[in-house]
Amino acid sequence: MGNIAWANPGNAATTNAVYGTSALSASQNTQYLKCTNFGFSIPSGDVILGIQVTWIVNEITLRRLRVFDESVRLVKGGTVQGNNNADATVWPTTDTSKTYGTATDLWGLVWTDVNVNAATFGAALSAQQIGGISSRTARVDSVQICVTHMPPSAGM
């Protein structure tokens, strides 16, 4: 992971055009922007089928767009882990929703209702600037998580 910190990471808690930001220069990566404590209340014993995460991101630049995902993972028990679902799509200069995972994607991890309901469950994002000589600012407006689950008696 990179060493460029995020300024005002708490701003990524709600969709309101107030951003968590990270200023990047050529070939730099950010640290993880970790968002947790979503307040889920999945019923006890429910089977977790998949987790979908939507980040609202953009970048500020005066030249060609060059900010990309570096890593998009989940946070389980307070630790960033699981499959890296980052994609190679460049971040635009206007707020854009980028969705990762699906209703059947467990991100390579085993989940229980206890894991998802914990304050230490969430999502993490790291951005990177590839090439270029001028700096860009990666911006995150918010993150949303959708957990697909069902009672164990529903056919599993």
Side-chain angles (χ1 to χ4, degrees):
M1 216 37 37
N3 60 357
I4 306 302
W6 287 89
N8 304 307
N11 289 348
T14 58
T15 305
N16 59 3
V18 179
Y19 304 92
T21 62
S22 186
L24 295 166
S25 294
S27 301
Q28 288 185 323
N29 298 343
T30 69
Q31 297 172 348
Y32 276 117
L33 174 59
K34 271 177 41 173
C35 297
T36 58
N37 200 17
F38 282 81
F40 282 100
S41 57
I42 306 293
S44 179
D46 268 21
V47 177
I48 308 302
L49 302 173
I51 301 171
Q52 183 174 306
V53 177
T54 301
W55 291 91
I56 298 178
V57 301
N58 74 56
E59 72 144 308
I60 300 173
T61 183
L62 299 175
R63 304 206 175 152
R64 282 185 51 194
L65 305 173
R66 293 183 188 264
V67 172
F68 300 86
D69 299 343
E70 197 276 325
S71 183
V72 179
R73 297 180 188 266
L74 294 177
V75 180
K76 181 178 181 184
T79 303
V80 176
Q81 54 186 301
N83 294 342
N84 180 358
N85 281 347
D87 66 37
T89 306
V90 68
W91 289 21
T93 56
T94 58
D95 281 1
T96 300
S97 295
K98 293 187 71 176
T99 301
Y100 308 88
T102 66
T104 59
D105 184 357
L106 295 173
W107 302 59
L109 299 169
V110 175
W111 295 94
T112 68
D113 58 281
V114 173
N115 301 139
V116 173
N117 293 341
T120 55
F121 167 74
L125 169 77
S126 174
Q128 63 181 326
Q129 177 179 329
I130 304 211
I133 56 172
S134 60
S135 65
R136 275 92 172 148
T137 300
R139 302 191 325 166
V140 175
D141 188 23
S142 66
V143 59
Q144 296 175 342
I145 299 177
C146 178
V147 178
T148 303
H149 59 96
M150 70 177 188
S153 60
M156 295 246 10

